[in-house]
């Protein structure tokens, strides 16, 4: 029997008592933990100091959360938050924008490069964006568990009825909608696999900016396309030819293409791979 649609009636909470644990927060946390391990292996592979890991994690977490929140405030609901500034800090009520998060991470890497690594920010970007693609996919799975950020009506067999969503109840009751969270998650997980292959199999890090450029293009070009079938985030987007998410994606795609072309036109840089942290003692050779 072929299903006409899927009734999505999953609770956003994994645990409700004695404390509330939501799938969204869990996906976010798992993404960051796995990402930390991946970056750690890269740093060790290239002989970077282990102490950089914790510093970078703090910068990136702060940049992601603050940037995503302020991005939502300024890009999507400035009229509301300008009149109610006290609501800005209430992140637990929802309202995070991925484009703002991207800007926050960029600023975080600039600070990390300036104050800690003393290396070109591009060195950090080319390594950090690999697990960020994974985190992006995990967050979209969290959106699915929250029954949010879905698309318009569809007759496709994998269309979903988001019965726990007030938006769905008001606008699409009885109709299956595109699970755009899954579309984006699939793109991000695929991008993560590609970037891992580029780094570990093709040594793409020898061309500064190449991995970062592929990341920007691979994240924001699918985002631009999927936005055509996604619901508007806020009311004012209904009068726009392309919505706010698409407008914000265009500069990132252009930057990604530029970085790819520039990286491929420049010669490879020489890198060493000592496979130990810079602050890790050398293992003495036998007989010495």
């Amino acid at each position: 029997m072929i299903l006409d649609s899927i009734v999505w009636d999953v609770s956003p909470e994994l645990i409700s008592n004695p404390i509330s644990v939501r799938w969204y927060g869990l996906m976010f946390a798992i993404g960051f933990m796995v990402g930390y391990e991946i970056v750690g292996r890269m740093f060790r592979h290239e002989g970077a100091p282990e102490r950089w890991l914790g510093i970078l994690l703090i910068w990136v977490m702060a940049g992601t959360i603050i940037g995503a929140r302020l991005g939502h405030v300024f890009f999507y609901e400035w009229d509301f938050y300008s009149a109610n500034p006290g609501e800005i800090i209430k992140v637990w009520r929802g309202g995070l924008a991925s484009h703002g998060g991207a800007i926050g991470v960029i600023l975080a890497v600039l600070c990390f490069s300036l104050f800690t690594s003393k290396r070109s920010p591009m060195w950090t970007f080319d390594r950090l964006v690999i697990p960020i693609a994974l985190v992006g996919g995990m967050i979209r799975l969290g959106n699915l568990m929250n029954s949010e950020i879905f698309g318009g009506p569809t007759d496709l067999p994998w269309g979903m009825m988001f019965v726990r969503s007030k938006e769905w109840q008001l606008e699409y009751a009885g109709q299956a909608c595109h699970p755009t969270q899954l579309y984006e998650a699939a793109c991000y997980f695929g991008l993560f696999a590609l970037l891992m292959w580029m780094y570990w199999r093709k040594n793409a890090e020898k061309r500064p900016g190449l991995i970062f450029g592929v990341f920007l293009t691979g994240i924001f070009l699918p985002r631009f396309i999927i936005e055509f079938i996604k619901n508007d985030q806020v009311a004012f987007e209904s009068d726009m030819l392309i919505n706010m998410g698409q407008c914000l994606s265009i500069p990132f795609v252009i930057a990604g293409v530029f970085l790819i072309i520039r990286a491929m036109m420049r010669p490879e840089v020489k890198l060493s791979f000592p496979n130990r942290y810079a602050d890790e003692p050398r293992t003495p050779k036998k007989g010495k």
Side-chain angles (χ1 to χ4, degrees):
M1 178 180 178
I2 299 177
L3 295 177
D4 293 329
S5 62
I6 300 169
V7 177
W8 188 254
D9 188 19
V10 177
S11 172
E13 291 184 323
L14 174 62
I15 301 173
S16 57
N17 287 307
I19 60 172
S20 175
V21 177
R22 299 180 68 90
W23 284 104
Y24 184 92
L26 181 63
M27 294 295 103
F28 202 99
I30 291 174
F32 264 94
M33 287 189 292
V34 175
Y36 182 87
E37 178 65 23
I38 292 171
V39 174
R41 293 191 178 192
M42 291 177 179
F43 279 19
R44 192 177 194 280
H45 179 60
E46 298 188 45
E50 185 176 13
R51 64 181 182 83
W52 286 2
L53 285 170
I55 299 172
L56 180 59
L57 177 65
I58 293 172
W59 276 115
V60 170
M61 289 187 67
T64 300
I65 296 173
I66 296 174
R69 182 57 170 174
L70 294 182
H72 178 79
V73 169
F74 291 116
F75 298 149
Y76 291 98
E77 295 193 74
W78 174 242
D79 288 343
F80 170 76
Y81 287 106
S82 61
N84 302 276
E87 295 292 317
I88 295 177
I89 64 172
K90 298 178 181 179
V91 181
W92 57 90
R93 293 187 176 179
L96 300 174
S98 58
H99 295 90
I103 295 172
V105 169
I106 289 172
L107 294 175
V109 169
L110 293 177
C111 291
F112 171 78
S113 301
L114 177 63
F115 298 115
T116 303
S117 73
K118 310 297 182 183
R119 296 190 181 188
S120 166
M122 198 59 66
W123 182 89
T124 306
F125 282 129
D126 278 339
R127 288 138 186 90
L128 181 62
V129 296
I130 298 176
I132 286 180
L134 174 66
V135 174
M138 298 295 286
I139 289 175
R140 283 297 177 251
L141 292 183
N143 293 138
L144 175 68
M145 305 307 285
N146 281 346
S147 296
E148 61 188 4
I149 313 182
F150 50 87
T154 178
D155 295 327
L156 294 171
W158 55 80
M160 292 185 176
M161 296 186 183
F162 295 95
V163 295
R164 289 178 179 261
S165 166
K166 292 181 180 180
E167 179 185 2
W168 183 86
Q169 295 286 357
L170 290 173
E171 298 185 27
Y172 304 111
Q175 301 181 75
C177 294
H178 283 285
T180 50
Q181 318 96 323
L182 289 179
Y183 300 168
E184 288 191 56
C187 291
Y188 300 163
F189 289 140
L191 176 63
F192 168 69
L194 172 62
L195 297 180
M196 287 286 281
W197 175 78
M198 289 176 63
Y199 180 89
W200 292 107
R201 297 297 183 185
K202 292 299 181 179
N203 290 326
E205 69 275 18
K206 292 184 177 181
R207 293 187 180 276
L210 178 58
I211 293 177
F212 187 32
V214 172
F215 167 82
L216 290 176
T217 307
I219 283 283
F220 292 104
L221 183 57
R223 171 71 186 270
F224 181 89
I225 296 171
I226 293 171
E227 286 288 336
F228 282 112
I229 58 174
K230 189 187 295 185
N231 289 326
D232 293 333
Q233 296 290 300
V234 288
F236 70 79
E237 290 182 310
S238 62
D239 297 324
M240 301 174 68
L241 180 62
I242 57 176
N243 65 28
M244 180 60 74
Q246 291 172 309
C247 292
L248 295 172
S249 294
I250 291 174
F252 288 105
V253 174
I254 294 173
V257 173
F258 169 77
L259 288 172
I260 293 171
I261 294 173
R262 189 183 71 163
M264 295 305 297
M265 292 180 65
R266 293 184 173 185
E268 292 185 349
V269 299
K270 293 182 179 180
L271 297 175
S272 61
F273 303 103
N275 288 315
R276 67 176 185 85
Y277 291 116
D279 41 14
E280 183 177 282
R282 292 179 181 273
T283 303
K285 295 182 179 180
K286 293 182 179 180
K288 297 293 185 178

